[in-house]
Amino acid sequence: MKIPNVMTAEDAVKLIKSGDRVLIQGGSATPQALIKAMVARGPELKGVEICHIHTEGECGYIAPELRESFHTSAFFIGGNVRKMVGDTVDYIPIFLSDIPSLFRLGHMPLDVVLVNVSPPDQHGFCSLGVSVDIVLAGVEQGKTVIAQINPRMPRTFGDAQIHLRNFTACVEISEEIHEMKFVTPSDEEKAIGKNIAAIIEDGATLQMGIGGIPNAVLTYLTNHKNLGVHTEMFSEGIVDLVERGVVNGSQKKTNPYKIVSGFAMGTRRLYDFMDNNPEIEMRDIAYVNDTAIIRQNPKVTAINSAIEIDITGQVCADSIGSRMFSGVGGQMDFMRGAALSVGGKPIIAITSATQKGVSKIVPMLKHGAGVVTTRAHARFVATEYGVAELFGRTLKQRAQALRDIAHPEHREELDKAIFERFGSSLAIK
């Protein structure tokens, strides 16, 4: 299939004008060639707003010397832009599931969208590959769509197929997809993984992210049966379970026998597994993270992380005090969706203390900390010392349950806080 409107990256980004709002595809699909060409034009541009969830790789548009040219409005703060939050980067607090509606309902009109897609098939359809999430809505609504046609991008299905006619300009370039190496779980994370795996039932539908704790959980699921996956993102730990037959999706009510996700991050092994694999459905995040969809699956087990949790169950996952660190993301979408699922288990998983020995279970959240998951939504909290079940428990009972899974060095301090707040450190079990 002949590709129309082919040009160099340098010529393509000339379509970006001062004052434009530009959406960049994120995650492992971040289109680096287009970003670098856009940044090179920085001195010619004024007041360009850059929007994205987290991106991977270089992001020269946040450089302080280009603050008159570019300003970033991030829906989620990745490590590559975190240092410039409050300067050239601002954060928009929003549920991941709600972001597509910003574009579709006209709250944030998009002038330009930059994407990284597979080459077209014989019918002219390219694939958004490893990142459909919020960018599908952007492609639908953007006035100008610039596509990086990349043979390294795996061809995926679901909502990922986009026809060449949707692209204003095409740039042919072979660029490696960003790889996220496997994180070897620490001893504490292995213990958490074992604790969580013990409460995951056969036939459950899983949602989990990337990192030491999710990787640890996956390694303890090899003897489970008939698991399904419906998750905003997945990594290559899932591949092992698929190959063992542990994950088959046979019990799912929505998209049975399919792995449903919004984006994926891993190594080339994962991307090769995804390529032309009809078992994988990469879907619009408005669908993936819709609680009405999530709840239809059985025993949805959602595993999410936190920065700190207070003794009543309030979960801070987006900031360290008033300093923004990441974002709301899809945590609440899946915490609530899992809670509404028959037999579902919404789980917050954390190590009991930071690497510096500071307790993550605290009497009160830090001043200015954001509550991502409210105390009413928190049901299970797992550390290396066990799992606290909070659903239906009083504040005092919750405090005691959380104290019991805190690091032993901090339990005396928590006992004192419980006594000062509730008049007793002992709760009716």
Side-chain angles (χ1 to χ4, degrees):
M1 168 68 67
K2 182 175 174 158
I3 299 173
N5 304 317
V6 175
M7 58 187 76
T8 65
E10 291 72 22
D11 285 338
V13 298
K14 289 178 182 176
L15 295 168
I16 299 172
K17 302 178 183 64
S18 293
D20 277 354
R21 177 180 288 128
V22 179
L23 175 70
I24 300 176
Q25 187 178 12
S28 293
T30 306
Q32 281 296 330
L34 295 179
I35 289 174
K36 290 171 184 175
M38 176 185 70
V39 171
R41 282 200 65 215
E44 307 168 23
L45 297 168
K46 297 291 182 186
V48 173
E49 181 184 10
I50 306 294
C51 302
H52 53 67
I53 51 175
H54 80 284
T55 59
E56 296 292 342
E58 296 181 31
C59 49
Y61 49 85
I62 70 167
E65 61 269 24
L66 292 177
R67 62 169 53 90
E68 298 300 320
S69 303
F70 304 109
H71 189 86
T72 300
S73 299
F75 303 114
F76 194 90
I77 300 165
N80 58 352
V81 302
R82 190 171 293 135
K83 65 183 179 182
M84 295 304 291
V85 173
D87 187 346
T88 59
V89 178
D90 278 339
Y91 166 65
I92 299 174
I94 188 170
F95 294 135
L96 190 55
S97 58
D98 282 341
I99 298 173
S101 67
L102 290 178
F103 312 140
R104 290 182 172 132
L105 300 181
H107 298 292
M108 289 185 71
L110 298 173
D111 298 296
V112 180
V113 180
L114 307 182
V115 295
N116 191 359
V117 302
S118 74
D121 62 16
Q122 66 269 34
H123 305 293
F125 284 92
C126 300
S127 172
L128 290 167
V130 299
S131 175
V132 172
D133 46 71
I134 71 168
V135 81
L136 175 66
V139 171
E140 292 173 356
Q141 302 300 319
K143 297 173 187 174
T144 297
V145 180
I146 303 173
Q148 185 173 298
I149 309 292
N150 185 2
R152 302 296 292 164
M153 180 64 73
R155 175 174 295 280
T156 59
F157 303 106
D159 295 329
Q161 304 290 306
I162 304 292
H163 198 275
L164 285 168
R165 71 174 70 95
N166 291 282
F167 303 142
T168 313
C170 296
V171 177
E172 293 186 279
I173 186 165
S174 181
E175 180 178 275
E176 290 296 334
I177 305 303
H178 179 85
E179 294 192 32
M180 183 72 72
K181 302 299 184 184
F182 180 85
V183 177
T184 302
S186 65
D187 290 342
E188 292 81 7
E189 290 167 337
K190 288 177 183 176
I192 295 168
K194 190 172 184 179
N195 289 338
I196 292 174
I199 65 172
I200 295 176
E201 301 177 51
D202 288 344
T205 302
L206 304 180
Q207 177 261 324
M208 60 181 63
I210 194 169
I213 292 176
N215 288 343
V217 173
L218 292 170
T219 61
Y220 286 105
L221 296 179
T222 54
N223 292 321
H224 280 64
K225 296 177 180 146
N226 300 323
L227 298 179
V229 175
H230 184 109
T231 182
E232 69 186 45
M233 75 155 293
F234 74 101
S235 59
E236 65 192 71
I238 295 292
V239 178
D240 294 327
L241 296 181
V242 173
E243 291 178 346
R244 288 172 175 264
V246 173
V247 168
N248 57 35
S250 62
Q251 306 302 303
K252 292 175 65 183
K253 301 301 181 187
T254 63
N255 312 99
Y257 302 100
K258 303 290 185 181
I259 294 171
V260 173
S261 183
F263 61 101
M265 300 182 72
T267 67
R268 194 70 228 179
R269 179 189 177 218
L270 173 65
Y271 306 148
D272 289 342
F273 170 76
M274 297 173 69
D275 188 41
N276 280 310
N277 188 344
E279 189 174 5
I280 309 290
E281 287 196 358
M282 302 301 289
R283 302 294 297 266
D284 182 346
I285 210 68
Y287 174 87
V288 176
N289 284 39
D290 184 345
T291 56
I293 301 296
I294 297 167
R295 70 181 297 179
Q296 293 178 47
N297 286 313
K299 305 174 186 175
V300 173
T301 304
I303 304 167
N304 288 273
S305 62
I307 292 173
E308 61 178 359
I309 302 173
D310 78 8
I311 56 175
T312 72
Q314 293 188 115
V315 178
C316 173
D318 64 350
S319 66
I320 300 174
S322 59
R323 180 168 68 89
M324 294 308 305
F325 184 81
S326 55
V328 172
Q331 180 170 123
M332 267 305 304
D333 295 330
F334 274 93
M335 291 295 285
R336 189 57 183 155
L340 294 171
S341 162
V342 175
K345 292 184 173 79
I347 302 169
I348 295 293
I350 56 170
T351 55
S352 63
T354 68
Q355 292 183 347
K356 294 182 178 180
V358 178
S359 181
K360 292 185 181 180
I361 297 175
V362 295
M364 292 185 181
L365 299 180
K366 291 182 179 64
H367 179 72
V371 176
V372 170
T373 294
T374 75
R375 57 171 70 100
H377 290 103
R379 295 203 175 186
F380 293 88
V381 177
T383 73
E384 66 269 34
Y385 295 103
V387 179
E389 186 170 357
L390 307 183
F391 185 53
R393 292 193 170 191
T394 67
L395 291 176
K396 187 184 295 186
Q397 290 169 333
R398 285 163 166 258
Q400 186 66 51
L402 289 167
R403 175 264 182 210
D404 290 345
I405 63 167
H407 194 285
E409 292 183 1
H410 297 286
R411 291 178 188 174
E412 184 177 346
E413 175 190 355
L414 292 172
D415 279 335
K416 180 180 178 182
I418 293 170
F419 181 82
E420 290 176 349
R421 184 162 182 175
F422 302 113
S424 171
S425 61
L426 299 176
I428 299 172
K429 299 278 187 178

